[in-house]
Amino acid sequence: MLTDSDITALLLTIKLAVLTTAILLLLGTPLAWWLARTRWRYKFLLEAIVALPLVLPPTVLGFYLLIALGPNGPLGGAMLQLGAEPLAFTFTGLVIGSVIYSLPFVVQPLQDAFVAVGRRPLEVAATLRASPLDRFFTVAIPLAAPGFFTAAILGFAHTLGEFGVVLMIGGNIPGETRVLSIAIYDHVEGLEYARAHWLSGGLLLLSFVLLIAVYAFNRRFRFARLQGSAL
Amino acid sequence: MIALQLPIRRDSFALDINLELPASGISGILGPSGCGKTSLLRALAGLDKHNGGKLAVGDHCWQSETVFVPAHRRGVGYVFQEATLFEHLNVEQNLHYGLKRVPEAERRVSLQQAIELLDIARLLKRKPAGLSGGERQRVAIARALAVSPELLLMDEPLAGLDFAMKQEVLSYIATLQQQLEIPVIYVSHVAEEVARLADHLVLMDNNGVVASGPATEMFTRLDLPLAQHSDAAAIIEARAVRYDEEYDLTSLEFNGGQITVAGRAASMEEIVRLQIAARDVSLTLEQQHNTSILNILPAVVEDIYENSRASVTVKLSANGVPLLCRMTRKSAQELGLKAGLSVFAQVKSVALLV
């Protein structure tokens, strides 16, 4: 069964996924809303940036984050100057990496959901005296609820399975950065196949259940929209 | 008075609308699809902003060089072509959505009034997804009324409804105007809907506003396409005065005389709209006595318009009430019709518009 260190890794992974999902929903909602509504000519540039983690090898992303967050990097250096510890090889660094890594999995379903809501219900709300913020919270968000559900589950599930980014910027510090996928890798390296089985099987099952939930709840869901949809 | 001046500019579309509308009754805006009717309504509601536009409703300035009142502060009610109900709310919650955002002091229409007027009491707990097209549109109208609008804007609210539902919703609109005294601007491309409802009529084509004036006058103006069309018809308002039980006929009175229609057309003293198609009217120089035609009105020829080499439309005045008559140019010539000539208009059939 699971050893203590496996359980520590499991809890850390869940903590990371929950935190990442929460941050992504907070940041991704306004971004997705803006992408869904703007008529800016060059919004495709931003959409391409959001989609980048879909195609980029996680190690590449992790590598650049390591450089940026490390003591000699622009962000890490600045933090060092301010008296803070650099973020490389910390849980916070891991959260930052995960947020970037899972960004498209949250932003794209939200953007699709907002596009599907369309302008009309919001115009109706405007003629019913609702201010822009009011109609965003009372019309746009409730009508886009299936998109939020999909976004939350995909963001969560995708963060669970993260490996390359963690390896690059998190390393393998038990209780701090040693997440499930790293623990599995360790077990395989150490030829502890039985323990690797437990963790891998569990992760497989969990991911499958989460995706079933997404597809069952949101029948029209399409995975990974790479092109911006026309508004 | 509603005064608007709108320079509408789009990629392939430039339209300047200058218009004054009465701030009471129903103003119909009639024109072909794509002529800018909806743009006009959206600009009135504040849903679109056209730079350089000016818009004043009564004492309120909604748009000028320095002012642009956003949609949610304009006090309009808007009924869209497709009733967009909030699918996540039930009917009652849809009605409350606007109502609860209006301060109590500004509420002139009670929710109960709106519900009764549109007859939707039994739908309150239902979700929009389970409603028919007519029911959805009635809920949308009630929802717009519940915010006690200063001005109710309706954009083809009957499009997409079948004939029976159209009739039903039309009669609700007519009633609500009579009971609530909210000025309505009603956009449509169907002359019949406007004929039935409008007190004031604005005629638009692809180049903008063609003419604007009292509806009864507009339908009979020979210089406008409405009267030149083969379906041209005059609209008169008449008061029901007598019901003949034996023959099942209702007599109605108007300034130009008396008209008899089949059936119990209205309750006594009720004022109804009648439509008399130009092609259902024929003219004689002397009053005919041995004829099957019941409705014969003395009238004076006002003007004659040649639709083609074969047909003309004659505008008549029955004691000041305009009527139209369509006949061949040959008949007109043989009768020696000219302005000022006294004639008798024989009306073959009358349609009740309410």
Side-chain angles (χ1 to χ4, degrees):
Chain A
M1 276 296 285
L2 300 181
T3 62
D4 281 353
S5 75
D6 285 343
I7 288 172
T8 310
L10 175 68
L11 291 178
L12 185 74
T13 307
I14 289 173
K15 184 175 151 198
L16 176 68
V18 168
L19 211 60
T20 302
T21 309
I23 292 172
L24 272 176
L25 286 177
L26 274 176
L27 298 180
T29 303
L31 176 60
W33 175 250
W34 184 80
L35 285 172
R37 303 272 295 181
T38 185
R39 289 178 174 147
W40 186 47
R41 283 176 65 184
Y42 299 106
K43 84 163 181 178
F44 64 89
L45 290 175
L46 218 83
E47 288 182 313
I49 292 172
V50 169
L52 212 49
L54 287 175
V55 292
L56 209 58
T59 41
V60 172
L61 187 63
F63 173 65
Y64 284 119
L65 277 170
L66 181 64
I67 299 224
L69 299 177
N72 300 322
L75 281 172
M79 293 198 67
L80 215 54
Q81 296 253 307
L82 292 168
E85 290 291 313
L87 294 172
F89 307 113
T90 64
F91 182 71
T92 313
L94 217 55
V95 171
I96 293 174
S98 301
V99 163
I100 296 174
Y101 178 59
S102 295
L103 185 70
F105 290 83
V106 172
V107 170
Q108 290 194 349
L110 289 181
Q111 187 183 341
D112 281 349
F114 286 138
V115 168
V117 168
R119 284 171 191 273
R120 183 48 57 81
L122 293 144
E123 290 180 345
V124 171
T127 65
L128 294 171
R129 310 289 180 275
S131 68
L133 205 63
D134 185 358
R135 47 195 193 247
F136 175 73
F137 283 111
T138 56
V139 175
I141 288 192
L143 287 178
F148 277 89
F149 180 77
T150 304
I153 289 197
L154 288 183
F156 185 84
H158 190 240
T159 309
L160 283 186
E162 176 177 341
F163 177 73
V165 180
V166 186
L167 200 64
M168 296 299 278
I169 59 165
N172 191 357
I173 307 164
E176 175 79 16
T177 62
R178 187 172 189 262
V179 295
L180 267 188
S181 55
I182 305 279
I184 293 168
Y185 181 73
D186 270 0
H187 291 325
V188 175
E189 286 270 271
L191 296 175
E192 299 163 315
Y193 277 27
R195 291 176 66 187
H197 262 307
W198 273 108
L199 292 182
S200 302
L203 207 54
L204 176 70
L205 197 67
L206 181 60
S207 305
F208 186 53
V209 167
L210 288 175
L211 285 181
I212 285 176
V214 167
Y215 281 99
F217 188 68
N218 200 348
R219 297 292 167 101
R220 282 182 310 172
F221 177 70
R222 294 164 297 130
F223 207 81
R225 176 183 47 80
L226 277 169
Q227 294 156 309
S229 58
L231 191 63
Chain B
M1 187 66 84
I2 300 162
L4 61 111
Q5 201 180 327
L6 275 183
I8 299 175
R9 299 282 175 272
R10 298 233 190 85
D11 295 344
S12 57
F13 192 72
L15 195 61
D16 287 289
I17 297 177
N18 289 302
L19 202 55
E20 284 198 347
L21 295 170
S24 64
I26 299 185
S27 298
I29 298 181
L30 183 63
S33 301
C35 75
K37 304 186 298 286
T38 298
S39 303
L40 171 68
L41 221 51
R42 291 179 59 87
L44 263 169
L47 295 174
D48 293 333
K49 184 174 178 179
H50 299 284
N51 291 325
K54 288 198 181 94
L55 182 54
V57 175
D59 305 332
H60 305 291
C61 171
W62 283 353
Q63 189 181 350
S64 69
E65 277 109 21
T66 50
V67 178
F68 183 82
V69 181
H72 65 281
R73 296 217 187 91
R74 285 203 177 184
V76 299
Y78 201 118
V79 179
F80 289 87
Q81 188 167 345
E82 67 290 353
T84 311
L85 302 181
F86 299 131
E87 302 289 332
H88 62 296
L89 304 175
N90 69 19
V91 168
E92 193 173 19
Q93 291 164 328
N94 264 279
L95 297 175
H96 275 285
Y97 188 92
L99 179 72
K100 68 184 180 195
R101 287 171 170 79
V102 176
E104 296 226 15
E106 292 170 28
R107 294 183 192 169
R108 289 170 292 116
V109 182
S110 74
L111 188 62
Q112 205 48 43
Q113 226 175 340
I115 290 170
E116 275 169 23
L117 210 56
L118 278 306
D119 193 18
I120 50 172
R122 60 188 179 82
L123 305 177
L124 291 180
K125 299 295 172 204
R126 307 247 308 261
K127 279 276 194 177
L131 303 182
S132 73
E135 288 170 336
R136 292 174 72 87
Q137 200 54 278
R138 272 155 53 199
V139 173
I141 295 171
R143 184 178 61 179
L145 283 177
V147 299
S148 303
E150 277 181 68
L151 181 63
L152 182 60
L153 307 171
M154 306 184 103
D155 187 6
E156 308 239 9
L158 306 184
L161 301 186
D162 65 32
F163 183 78
M165 281 182 191
K166 267 185 192 168
Q167 298 305 312
E168 187 187 315
V169 176
L170 260 178
S171 61
Y172 286 116
I173 296 172
T175 331
L176 77 88
Q177 216 291 313
Q178 282 161 13
Q179 294 197 8
L180 300 180
E181 296 183 339
I182 294 170
V184 177
I185 298 183
Y186 185 101
V187 157
S188 179
H189 69 275
V190 184
E192 226 181 289
E193 288 173 18
V194 178
R196 178 163 170 185
L197 293 171
D199 306 304
H200 188 93
L201 178 61
V202 177
L203 201 61
M204 286 181 73
D205 68 9
N206 291 323
N207 301 314
V209 175
V210 179
S212 167
T216 47
E217 192 186 303
M218 294 282 287
F219 275 98
T220 52
R221 263 175 63 177
L222 289 185
D223 61 331
L224 297 178
L226 281 175
Q228 298 162 5
H229 198 261
S230 61
D231 289 331
I235 293 157
I236 59 174
E237 284 187 338
R239 191 165 49 90
V241 290
R242 205 168 36 258
Y243 173 65
D244 182 340
E245 191 82 56
E246 190 187 348
Y247 294 107
D248 190 25
L249 295 171
T250 306
S251 297
L252 303 114
E253 244 175 35
F254 72 113
N255 270 349
Q258 205 170 73
I259 291 255
T260 304
V261 301
R264 194 185 277 277
S267 42
M268 288 308 106
E269 297 301 312
E270 190 187 347
I271 295 189
V272 294
R273 278 192 177 194
L274 304 172
Q275 187 177 37
I276 302 177
R279 66 166 107 80
D280 290 337
V281 176
S282 60
L283 299 184
T284 56
L285 294 179
E286 286 113 39
Q287 183 157 15
Q288 302 288 302
H289 293 287
N290 301 317
T291 165
S292 65
I293 290 179
L294 276 178
N295 294 314
I296 298 177
L297 303 165
V300 176
V301 174
E302 278 207 333
D303 198 4
I304 301 169
Y305 178 83
E306 284 191 21
N307 302 307
S308 64
R309 285 188 55 225
S311 99
V312 297
T313 302
V314 183
K315 183 177 179 179
L316 307 162
S317 164
N319 191 23
V321 179
L323 292 174
L324 293 176
C325 162
R326 201 174 164 90
M327 61 174 68
T328 60
R329 191 165 66 95
K330 183 169 186 242
S331 309
Q333 220 156 53
E334 283 174 2
L335 285 173
L337 293 186
K338 59 178 193 302
L341 187 72
S342 290
V343 293
F344 291 90
Q346 311 195 83
V347 181
K348 215 161 56 186
S349 89
V350 178
L352 198 69
L353 277 177
V354 176

